[in-house]
Every structure is written in structure tokens, then in C-alpha cells.
Amino acid sequence: MGDVPKRIKRLLREYAAAAHEEELRRALLPVSEAFGRWAKRELGSGELSEIIHRFHQGAARELWVRYNTHHLEMAVAFAITTGVLGRETIPAELLEHLAGALRFYEEEQATMRRSGE
């Protein structure tokens, strides 16, 4: 991000943080539901522990890797193309900066739809 203007860097950090927060929130919903079932004694402590462990080793780790980088363009573009961030909420200058990364993910999604994945 050496040649990237400071304003774009700031926007990337801001939108990456928002995307990370939203993705973590979505990933934690099943864990939250499991805690509720555990509190009602519908789920054993061992089962809850396993759910927490799977979350930590899976989604939490994946999201940490995605957003713990100095190159946030791909993470933010991914969040936009998957609907985690609404494209309409992104400033035009940031969308312009992300044009190549957005095109990459849009083409990847189109290929996946064509192949039925």
C-alpha cells in the first residue's frame, strides 16, 4: 500500500474493520444459539465446548487470517462482492481503487454459478 493515498488507506482500514465485525457476528450466531441451548440445559457442556473449539479453529481463524494483513484490498473487495458490505455504502473513490479486486471476485462468482457450485 506504499503508493496508496492516506485517505484510501484509512477507508480500507475502516471498511475492513466493519467487514470483519460483521463476518464475526454472522459466524458467532450459531455459537450464541448453542450457548442459549446450553443455558437451558438442552446441550451438554462437552458439546458446547466442541462447538466453541470448531468455531475457534475454523471461522475465527479464517477471518483472522483474512483481515490481519496490510493488504486489505482483497478482503474489502471480497466483503463487497459477497454482500457483507453493501456496495452502495462504499465511497466511489474506494470502489475505484478496488476495481481490479472487485472484478476478480465478480468473475470468480460468475464462474462458480456457471459450474453449479
Side-chain angles (χ1 to χ4, degrees):
M1 283 198 328
D3 297 4
V4 178
K6 285 183 181 183
R7 174 162 166 73
I8 296 296
K9 288 180 184 180
R10 182 184 58 75
L11 288 170
L12 282 169
R13 286 190 304 272
E14 176 184 327
Y15 283 94
H20 189 202
E21 175 64 26
E22 177 58 18
E23 287 204 67
L24 272 175
R25 186 191 70 75
R26 291 177 185 186
L28 280 165
L29 288 173
V31 178
S32 174
E33 187 269 337
F35 267 102
R37 290 178 46 224
W38 172 79
K40 295 178 197 174
R41 298 190 184 273
E42 297 171 358
L43 186 70
S45 296
E47 293 169 289
L48 178 61
S49 179
E50 181 60 29
I51 290 168
I52 294 166
H53 177 73
R54 281 194 315 262
F55 168 77
H56 180 263
Q57 295 299 326
R61 188 172 298 233
E62 178 184 319
L63 293 171
W64 187 85
V65 168
R66 181 177 303 150
Y67 291 102
N68 189 34
T69 178
H70 293 292
H71 306 286
L72 294 171
E73 285 86 354
M74 295 307 284
V76 173
F78 180 81
I80 294 168
T81 57
T82 58
V84 172
L85 295 175
R87 188 180 293 261
E88 68 283 352
T89 68
I90 310 298
E93 63 190 314
L94 184 55
L95 287 173
E96 183 179 319
H97 177 76
L98 295 172
L102 289 166
R103 200 167 27 260
F104 169 81
Y105 284 120
E106 289 163 353
E107 290 171 3
E108 183 178 75
Q109 284 182 343
T111 300
M112 289 174 66
R113 280 192 299 274
R114 281 192 300 272
S115 67
E117 292 179 24

PDB file of all heavy atoms in Angstrom, residues 1-25:
ATOM      1  N   MET A   1       0.823  -1.192   0.000  1.00  0.00           N
ATOM      2  CA  MET A   1       0.000   0.000   0.000  1.00  0.00           C
ATOM      3  C   MET A   1       0.864   1.251   0.000  1.00  0.00           C
ATOM      4  O   MET A   1       0.410   2.298   0.378  1.00  0.00           O
ATOM      5  CB  MET A   1      -0.933   0.017   1.214  1.00  0.00           C
ATOM      6  CG  MET A   1      -2.112  -0.893   1.076  1.00  0.00           C
ATOM      7  SD  MET A   1      -3.544  -0.653   2.157  1.00  0.00           S
ATOM      8  CE  MET A   1      -2.935  -0.039   3.692  1.00  0.00           C
ATOM      9  N   GLY A   2       2.091   1.148  -0.453  1.00  0.00           N
ATOM     10  CA  GLY A   2       3.012   2.268  -0.428  1.00  0.00           C
ATOM     11  C   GLY A   2       2.561   3.476  -1.222  1.00  0.00           C
ATOM     12  O   GLY A   2       2.676   4.604  -0.759  1.00  0.00           O
ATOM     13  N   ASP A   3       2.038   3.297  -2.431  1.00  0.00           N
ATOM     14  CA  ASP A   3       1.629   4.405  -3.278  1.00  0.00           C
ATOM     15  C   ASP A   3       0.173   4.798  -3.073  1.00  0.00           C
ATOM     16  O   ASP A   3      -0.333   5.669  -3.767  1.00  0.00           O
ATOM     17  CB  ASP A   3       1.827   4.036  -4.752  1.00  0.00           C
ATOM     18  CG  ASP A   3       3.285   3.781  -5.094  1.00  0.00           C
ATOM     19  OD1 ASP A   3       4.131   3.806  -4.180  1.00  0.00           O
ATOM     20  OD2 ASP A   3       3.575   3.563  -6.274  1.00  0.00           O
ATOM     21  N   VAL A   4      -0.499   4.178  -2.158  1.00  0.00           N
ATOM     22  CA  VAL A   4      -1.919   4.423  -1.925  1.00  0.00           C
ATOM     23  C   VAL A   4      -2.079   5.679  -1.080  1.00  0.00           C
ATOM     24  O   VAL A   4      -1.426   5.829  -0.049  1.00  0.00           O
ATOM     25  CB  VAL A   4      -2.569   3.205  -1.225  1.00  0.00           C
ATOM     26  CG1 VAL A   4      -4.026   3.449  -0.930  1.00  0.00           C
ATOM     27  CG2 VAL A   4      -2.373   1.960  -2.068  1.00  0.00           C
ATOM     28  N   PRO A   5      -2.958   6.598  -1.513  1.00  0.00           N
ATOM     29  CA  PRO A   5      -3.184   7.815  -0.719  1.00  0.00           C
ATOM     30  C   PRO A   5      -3.660   7.489   0.698  1.00  0.00           C
ATOM     31  O   PRO A   5      -4.346   6.480   0.923  1.00  0.00           O
ATOM     32  CB  PRO A   5      -4.283   8.544  -1.510  1.00  0.00           C
ATOM     33  CG  PRO A   5      -4.220   7.987  -2.890  1.00  0.00           C
ATOM     34  CD  PRO A   5      -3.745   6.573  -2.746  1.00  0.00           C
ATOM     35  N   LYS A   6      -3.319   8.366   1.640  1.00  0.00           N
ATOM     36  CA  LYS A   6      -3.679   8.148   3.040  1.00  0.00           C
ATOM     37  C   LYS A   6      -5.189   7.993   3.231  1.00  0.00           C
ATOM     38  O   LYS A   6      -5.632   7.193   4.042  1.00  0.00           O
ATOM     39  CB  LYS A   6      -3.161   9.293   3.906  1.00  0.00           C
ATOM     40  CG  LYS A   6      -1.683   9.250   4.143  1.00  0.00           C
ATOM     41  CD  LYS A   6      -1.243  10.360   5.073  1.00  0.00           C
ATOM     42  CE  LYS A   6       0.259  10.302   5.266  1.00  0.00           C
ATOM     43  NZ  LYS A   6       0.712  11.323   6.216  1.00  0.00           N
ATOM     44  N   ARG A   7      -5.958   8.776   2.491  1.00  0.00           N
ATOM     45  CA  ARG A   7      -7.421   8.685   2.637  1.00  0.00           C
ATOM     46  C   ARG A   7      -7.913   7.287   2.245  1.00  0.00           C
ATOM     47  O   ARG A   7      -8.759   6.705   2.922  1.00  0.00           O
ATOM     48  CB  ARG A   7      -8.110   9.746   1.788  1.00  0.00           C
ATOM     49  CG  ARG A   7      -9.626   9.590   1.800  1.00  0.00           C
ATOM     50  CD  ARG A   7     -10.353  10.836   1.348  1.00  0.00           C
ATOM     51  NE  ARG A   7     -11.748  10.575   1.060  1.00  0.00           N
ATOM     52  CZ  ARG A   7     -12.696  10.348   1.960  1.00  0.00           C
ATOM     53  NH1 ARG A   7     -12.392  10.335   3.245  1.00  0.00           N
ATOM     54  NH2 ARG A   7     -13.944  10.131   1.600  1.00  0.00           N
ATOM     55  N   ILE A   8      -7.369   6.726   1.184  1.00  0.00           N
ATOM     56  CA  ILE A   8      -7.767   5.386   0.749  1.00  0.00           C
ATOM     57  C   ILE A   8      -7.323   4.360   1.783  1.00  0.00           C
ATOM     58  O   ILE A   8      -8.077   3.433   2.115  1.00  0.00           O
ATOM     59  CB  ILE A   8      -7.199   5.062  -0.648  1.00  0.00           C
ATOM     60  CG1 ILE A   8      -7.788   5.994  -1.704  1.00  0.00           C
ATOM     61  CG2 ILE A   8      -7.431   3.596  -1.016  1.00  0.00           C
ATOM     62  CD1 ILE A   8      -9.280   5.850  -1.915  1.00  0.00           C
ATOM     63  N   LYS A   9      -6.127   4.509   2.320  1.00  0.00           N
ATOM     64  CA  LYS A   9      -5.659   3.593   3.366  1.00  0.00           C
ATOM     65  C   LYS A   9      -6.601   3.623   4.563  1.00  0.00           C
ATOM     66  O   LYS A   9      -6.939   2.582   5.127  1.00  0.00           O
ATOM     67  CB  LYS A   9      -4.244   3.965   3.820  1.00  0.00           C
ATOM     68  CG  LYS A   9      -3.168   3.652   2.827  1.00  0.00           C
ATOM     69  CD  LYS A   9      -1.819   4.063   3.384  1.00  0.00           C
ATOM     70  CE  LYS A   9      -0.703   3.868   2.385  1.00  0.00           C
ATOM     71  NZ  LYS A   9       0.605   4.270   2.936  1.00  0.00           N
ATOM     72  N   ARG A  10      -7.006   4.833   4.940  1.00  0.00           N
ATOM     73  CA  ARG A  10      -7.917   4.974   6.084  1.00  0.00           C
ATOM     74  C   ARG A  10      -9.257   4.314   5.782  1.00  0.00           C
ATOM     75  O   ARG A  10      -9.812   3.591   6.615  1.00  0.00           O
ATOM     76  CB  ARG A  10      -8.120   6.451   6.434  1.00  0.00           C
ATOM     77  CG  ARG A  10      -9.016   6.661   7.651  1.00  0.00           C
ATOM     78  CD  ARG A  10      -9.303   8.124   7.937  1.00  0.00           C
ATOM     79  NE  ARG A  10      -9.924   8.838   6.837  1.00  0.00           N
ATOM     80  CZ  ARG A  10     -11.213   8.722   6.468  1.00  0.00           C
ATOM     81  NH1 ARG A  10     -11.995   7.868   7.088  1.00  0.00           N
ATOM     82  NH2 ARG A  10     -11.694   9.426   5.477  1.00  0.00           N
ATOM     83  N   LEU A  11      -9.776   4.537   4.577  1.00  0.00           N
ATOM     84  CA  LEU A  11     -11.042   3.915   4.189  1.00  0.00           C
ATOM     85  C   LEU A  11     -10.929   2.396   4.163  1.00  0.00           C
ATOM     86  O   LEU A  11     -11.851   1.700   4.593  1.00  0.00           O
ATOM     87  CB  LEU A  11     -11.499   4.443   2.830  1.00  0.00           C
ATOM     88  CG  LEU A  11     -12.012   5.887   2.810  1.00  0.00           C
ATOM     89  CD1 LEU A  11     -12.199   6.370   1.380  1.00  0.00           C
ATOM     90  CD2 LEU A  11     -13.301   6.017   3.607  1.00  0.00           C
ATOM     91  N   LEU A  12      -9.828   1.892   3.654  1.00  0.00           N
ATOM     92  CA  LEU A  12      -9.623   0.440   3.643  1.00  0.00           C
ATOM     93  C   LEU A  12      -9.649  -0.122   5.055  1.00  0.00           C
ATOM     94  O   LEU A  12     -10.297  -1.140   5.311  1.00  0.00           O
ATOM     95  CB  LEU A  12      -8.302   0.085   2.959  1.00  0.00           C
ATOM     96  CG  LEU A  12      -8.305   0.119   1.442  1.00  0.00           C
ATOM     97  CD1 LEU A  12      -6.874   0.014   0.905  1.00  0.00           C
ATOM     98  CD2 LEU A  12      -9.161  -1.007   0.881  1.00  0.00           C
ATOM     99  N   ARG A  13      -8.944   0.535   5.972  1.00  0.00           N
ATOM    100  CA  ARG A  13      -8.935   0.061   7.369  1.00  0.00           C
ATOM    101  C   ARG A  13     -10.338   0.127   7.970  1.00  0.00           C
ATOM    102  O   ARG A  13     -10.782  -0.803   8.648  1.00  0.00           O
ATOM    103  CB  ARG A  13      -7.950   0.875   8.206  1.00  0.00           C
ATOM    104  CG  ARG A  13      -6.497   0.549   7.937  1.00  0.00           C
ATOM    105  CD  ARG A  13      -5.558   1.194   8.951  1.00  0.00           C
ATOM    106  NE  ARG A  13      -5.697   2.640   9.038  1.00  0.00           N
ATOM    107  CZ  ARG A  13      -5.038   3.517   8.273  1.00  0.00           C
ATOM    108  NH1 ARG A  13      -4.172   3.084   7.372  1.00  0.00           N
ATOM    109  NH2 ARG A  13      -5.217   4.811   8.424  1.00  0.00           N
ATOM    110  N   GLU A  14     -11.043   1.210   7.709  1.00  0.00           N
ATOM    111  CA  GLU A  14     -12.384   1.407   8.261  1.00  0.00           C
ATOM    112  C   GLU A  14     -13.356   0.333   7.743  1.00  0.00           C
ATOM    113  O   GLU A  14     -14.072  -0.294   8.528  1.00  0.00           O
ATOM    114  CB  GLU A  14     -12.880   2.799   7.858  1.00  0.00           C
ATOM    115  CG  GLU A  14     -14.288   3.123   8.273  1.00  0.00           C
ATOM    116  CD  GLU A  14     -14.721   4.493   7.753  1.00  0.00           C
ATOM    117  OE1 GLU A  14     -13.874   5.404   7.655  1.00  0.00           O
ATOM    118  OE2 GLU A  14     -15.915   4.630   7.440  1.00  0.00           O
ATOM    119  N   TYR A  15     -13.356   0.121   6.443  1.00  0.00           N
ATOM    120  CA  TYR A  15     -14.289  -0.843   5.874  1.00  0.00           C
ATOM    121  C   TYR A  15     -13.863  -2.288   6.153  1.00  0.00           C
ATOM    122  O   TYR A  15     -14.721  -3.167   6.297  1.00  0.00           O
ATOM    123  CB  TYR A  15     -14.522  -0.572   4.390  1.00  0.00           C
ATOM    124  CG  TYR A  15     -15.448   0.605   4.212  1.00  0.00           C
ATOM    125  CD1 TYR A  15     -14.950   1.888   4.028  1.00  0.00           C
ATOM    126  CD2 TYR A  15     -16.828   0.445   4.293  1.00  0.00           C
ATOM    127  CE1 TYR A  15     -15.797   2.979   3.912  1.00  0.00           C
ATOM    128  CE2 TYR A  15     -17.685   1.517   4.171  1.00  0.00           C
ATOM    129  CZ  TYR A  15     -17.160   2.787   3.986  1.00  0.00           C
ATOM    130  OH  TYR A  15     -18.016   3.866   3.878  1.00  0.00           O
ATOM    131  N   ALA A  16     -12.582  -2.537   6.253  1.00  0.00           N
ATOM    132  CA  ALA A  16     -12.117  -3.873   6.631  1.00  0.00           C
ATOM    133  C   ALA A  16     -12.550  -4.185   8.059  1.00  0.00           C
ATOM    134  O   ALA A  16     -12.992  -5.311   8.348  1.00  0.00           O
ATOM    135  CB  ALA A  16     -10.599  -3.983   6.492  1.00  0.00           C
ATOM    136  N   ALA A  17     -12.454  -3.209   8.951  1.00  0.00           N
ATOM    137  CA  ALA A  17     -12.892  -3.422  10.340  1.00  0.00           C
ATOM    138  C   ALA A  17     -14.392  -3.695  10.391  1.00  0.00           C
ATOM    139  O   ALA A  17     -14.841  -4.594  11.123  1.00  0.00           O
ATOM    140  CB  ALA A  17     -12.532  -2.210  11.194  1.00  0.00           C
ATOM    141  N   ALA A  18     -15.159  -2.951   9.614  1.00  0.00           N
ATOM    142  CA  ALA A  18     -16.614  -3.164   9.585  1.00  0.00           C
ATOM    143  C   ALA A  18     -16.948  -4.548   9.023  1.00  0.00           C
ATOM    144  O   ALA A  18     -17.823  -5.250   9.545  1.00  0.00           O
ATOM    145  CB  ALA A  18     -17.283  -2.069   8.759  1.00  0.00           C
ATOM    146  N   ALA A  19     -16.251  -4.951   7.972  1.00  0.00           N
ATOM    147  CA  ALA A  19     -16.492  -6.268   7.376  1.00  0.00           C
ATOM    148  C   ALA A  19     -16.109  -7.379   8.339  1.00  0.00           C
ATOM    149  O   ALA A  19     -16.837  -8.362   8.489  1.00  0.00           O
ATOM    150  CB  ALA A  19     -15.716  -6.404   6.068  1.00  0.00           C
ATOM    151  N   HIS A  20     -14.965  -7.218   8.997  1.00  0.00           N
ATOM    152  CA  HIS A  20     -14.516  -8.224   9.962  1.00  0.00           C
ATOM    153  C   HIS A  20     -15.542  -8.364  11.079  1.00  0.00           C
ATOM    154  O   HIS A  20     -15.921  -9.482  11.459  1.00  0.00           O
ATOM    155  CB  HIS A  20     -13.143  -7.834  10.507  1.00  0.00           C
ATOM    156  CG  HIS A  20     -12.509  -8.881  11.338  1.00  0.00           C
ATOM    157  ND1 HIS A  20     -11.535  -8.593  12.245  1.00  0.00           N
ATOM    158  CD2 HIS A  20     -12.694 -10.215  11.426  1.00  0.00           C
ATOM    159  CE1 HIS A  20     -11.148  -9.709  12.854  1.00  0.00           C
ATOM    160  NE2 HIS A  20     -11.846 -10.701  12.375  1.00  0.00           N
ATOM    161  N   GLU A  21     -16.001  -7.259  11.596  1.00  0.00           N
ATOM    162  CA  GLU A  21     -17.006  -7.275  12.659  1.00  0.00           C
ATOM    163  C   GLU A  21     -18.277  -7.992  12.200  1.00  0.00           C
ATOM    164  O   GLU A  21     -18.820  -8.842  12.913  1.00  0.00           O
ATOM    165  CB  GLU A  21     -17.337  -5.848  13.104  1.00  0.00           C
ATOM    166  CG  GLU A  21     -18.449  -5.752  14.121  1.00  0.00           C
ATOM    167  CD  GLU A  21     -18.126  -6.408  15.454  1.00  0.00           C
ATOM    168  OE1 GLU A  21     -16.948  -6.515  15.815  1.00  0.00           O
ATOM    169  OE2 GLU A  21     -19.090  -6.824  16.145  1.00  0.00           O
ATOM    170  N   GLU A  22     -18.745  -7.674  10.997  1.00  0.00           N
ATOM    171  CA  GLU A  22     -19.977  -8.294  10.500  1.00  0.00           C
ATOM    172  C   GLU A  22     -19.785  -9.784  10.236  1.00  0.00           C
ATOM    173  O   GLU A  22     -20.659 -10.596  10.559  1.00  0.00           O
ATOM    174  CB  GLU A  22     -20.458  -7.581   9.234  1.00  0.00           C
ATOM    175  CG  GLU A  22     -21.696  -8.193   8.605  1.00  0.00           C
ATOM    176  CD  GLU A  22     -22.920  -8.252   9.514  1.00  0.00           C
ATOM    177  OE1 GLU A  22     -22.988  -7.541  10.545  1.00  0.00           O
ATOM    178  OE2 GLU A  22     -23.844  -9.036   9.194  1.00  0.00           O
ATOM    179  N   GLU A  23     -18.668 -10.153   9.667  1.00  0.00           N
ATOM    180  CA  GLU A  23     -18.423 -11.582   9.412  1.00  0.00           C
ATOM    181  C   GLU A  23     -18.304 -12.357  10.719  1.00  0.00           C
ATOM    182  O   GLU A  23     -18.819 -13.473  10.834  1.00  0.00           O
ATOM    183  CB  GLU A  23     -17.185 -11.781   8.543  1.00  0.00           C
ATOM    184  CG  GLU A  23     -17.413 -11.390   7.099  1.00  0.00           C
ATOM    185  CD  GLU A  23     -16.461 -12.078   6.161  1.00  0.00           C
ATOM    186  OE1 GLU A  23     -16.551 -13.317   6.018  1.00  0.00           O
ATOM    187  OE2 GLU A  23     -15.631 -11.379   5.560  1.00  0.00           O
ATOM    188  N   LEU A  24     -17.630 -11.765  11.717  1.00  0.00           N
ATOM    189  CA  LEU A  24     -17.546 -12.429  13.028  1.00  0.00           C
ATOM    190  C   LEU A  24     -18.927 -12.552  13.667  1.00  0.00           C
ATOM    191  O   LEU A  24     -19.265 -13.588  14.242  1.00  0.00           O
ATOM    192  CB  LEU A  24     -16.623 -11.651  13.962  1.00  0.00           C
ATOM    193  CG  LEU A  24     -15.155 -12.008  13.913  1.00  0.00           C
ATOM    194  CD1 LEU A  24     -14.349 -11.072  14.806  1.00  0.00           C
ATOM    195  CD2 LEU A  24     -14.911 -13.447  14.313  1.00  0.00           C
ATOM    196  N   ARG A  25     -19.728 -11.494  13.551  1.00  0.00           N
ATOM    197  CA  ARG A  25     -21.078 -11.530  14.112  1.00  0.00           C
ATOM    198  C   ARG A  25     -21.874 -12.680  13.498  1.00  0.00           C
ATOM    199  O   ARG A  25     -22.491 -13.468  14.211  1.00  0.00           O
ATOM    200  CB  ARG A  25     -21.796 -10.201  13.860  1.00  0.00           C
ATOM    201  CG  ARG A  25     -23.158 -10.094  14.544  1.00  0.00           C
ATOM    202  CD  ARG A  25     -23.944  -8.886  14.052  1.00  0.00           C
ATOM    203  NE  ARG A  25     -24.378  -9.057  12.676  1.00  0.00           N
ATOM    204  CZ  ARG A  25     -25.391  -9.849  12.297  1.00  0.00           C
ATOM    205  NH1 ARG A  25     -26.054 -10.561  13.179  1.00  0.00           N
ATOM    206  NH2 ARG A  25     -25.730  -9.946  11.026  1.00  0.00           N
TER     207      ARG A  25
END
